[in-house]
Amino acid sequence: MATLPVRPLTRMQRMMGGIALFRPEGSNKWIKIGPVDSVEFTPNLTTVDVYTNEFGDRRLLRKITTTKEGTVVLNGISAWTEWLYQALFMSKPKYLTQAAVPSDTLIVEDVVAGDIVELPGKKGTVIAVTDGATGVYVEDTHYTFHSATGVIEFLAIPAGATADVEIEYSLPAITEADKLIDLSILETSGTRGEFRYIGHCADVGEDMDMRLSDVEFQPNGAYSAGDTANNNVGSLSGAVYTSATKGYGSLQGLETIVNA
């Protein structure tokens, strides 16, 4: 009778072509991580060798596993959601808030072309820019203004203007409902919760549902903060923790596996 070949277990099992989900600690809602190139799960085992000396030398009888750990890596995450920013920069969820400022004046001394200053707030409006006397600065002629960041760049100085500049501005109220993220970089030890991946297992060729009940994600290597030539992607590495009731997690098949 012919026997079917058996696929050997590899050290790293890769899943690809599926949906990655994350549920933060204390939440009952899943977050869709977005397009992920591949998900890799690596068992990390520590063993103790047991030998026999019945043959006049020490020969290996078996390996006893003393430690079981696991690591999951998400490669090529290309959806830059709020959650991904928090995970990659190791930050707690936080939104920008700002009190309204109907009108105020910023004094800038000894201005020359090329100087860059910023308003003390976000999404402001410049009402007027003058030298405090007769010199009037015209936007896009003498200066440019980026409202979202409050950055003002001086391009030229009006003829006859004095050295100092007065910038009259206003700022709108910003609340958490506006959802402008305001993260502190490297504030936490990681992003912890439950991870789930429903996808196609590259080694077996079948659809699987993998659940890891307790994972703490951390950034996995460098990611570009400015690269106009390439798609910006991030990568996360997660330490898989055990729990008293769930173990490390589960792997369930979504269809019958047929060896071939």
Side-chain angles (χ1 to χ4, degrees):
M1 179 183 296
T3 58
L4 295 175
V6 178
R7 291 188 180 90
L9 294 178
T10 59
R11 175 175 173 80
M12 177 180 67
Q13 299 297 324
R14 175 175 295 175
M15 297 182 69
M16 55 199 308
I19 300 173
L21 303 172
F22 184 80
R23 182 163 59 186
E25 281 185 312
S27 175
N28 61 358
K29 294 182 178 180
W30 291 93
I31 295 171
K32 186 176 180 180
I33 296 177
V36 179
D37 285 347
S38 66
V39 176
E40 298 170 352
F41 179 81
T42 303
N44 303 311
L45 306 178
T46 302
T47 61
V48 174
D49 295 340
V50 178
Y51 295 90
T52 178
N53 58 3
E54 295 176 354
F55 304 98
D57 56 11
R58 300 177 72 243
R59 300 188 183 189
L60 183 65
L61 282 178
R62 63 185 182 275
K63 290 179 176 289
I64 299 176
T65 301
T66 59
T67 304
K68 297 177 182 178
E69 298 176 331
T71 302
V72 62
V73 176
L74 313 186
N75 295 303
I77 309 171
S78 56
W80 285 71
T81 61
E82 286 185 12
W83 180 85
L84 185 61
Y85 276 106
Q86 294 164 17
L88 289 177
F89 289 94
M90 301 176 70
S91 307
K92 295 179 181 178
K94 184 182 176 185
Y95 293 112
L96 176 70
T97 59
Q98 172 179 283
V101 177
S103 180
D104 205 347
T105 301
L106 175 66
I107 306 296
V108 185
E109 298 179 348
D110 301 322
V111 172
V112 296
D115 283 351
I116 297 176
V117 299
E118 64 175 327
L119 300 182
K122 307 296 183 183
K123 293 188 174 293
T125 299
V126 171
I127 301 171
V129 180
T130 70
D131 66 351
T134 58
V136 177
Y137 286 71
V138 178
E139 187 171 3
D140 295 327
T141 297
H142 302 109
Y143 72 92
T144 60
F145 173 56
H146 187 242
S147 175
T149 60
V151 171
I152 298 173
E153 180 180 2
F154 289 96
L155 305 176
I157 308 300
T162 58
D164 298 343
V165 172
E166 296 184 5
I167 304 172
E168 185 182 358
Y169 67 92
S170 64
L171 299 175
I174 298 177
T175 68
E176 290 190 353
D178 294 305
K179 294 189 178 301
L180 299 178
I181 59 175
D182 183 22
L183 305 180
S184 296
I185 297 175
L186 302 183
E187 179 183 22
T188 69
S189 63
T191 302
R192 192 163 177 173
E194 184 175 359
F195 175 72
R196 183 179 184 185
Y197 191 75
I198 306 169
H200 194 76
C201 189
D203 295 325
V204 180
E206 309 295 346
D207 290 331
M208 306 293 288
D209 184 356
M210 180 173 66
R211 288 175 178 261
L212 303 176
S213 56
D214 190 358
V215 176
E216 186 172 30
F217 282 113
Q218 294 178 336
N220 184 30
Y223 39 89
S224 175
D227 184 353
T228 59
N230 298 288
N231 181 39
N232 201 17
V233 295
S235 179
L236 293 172
S237 177
V240 182
Y241 302 135
T242 188
S243 64
T245 58
K246 298 181 180 179
Y248 281 101
S250 65
L251 184 65
Q252 298 177 340
L254 302 181
E255 57 185 282
T256 302
I257 294 178
V258 180
N259 291 329

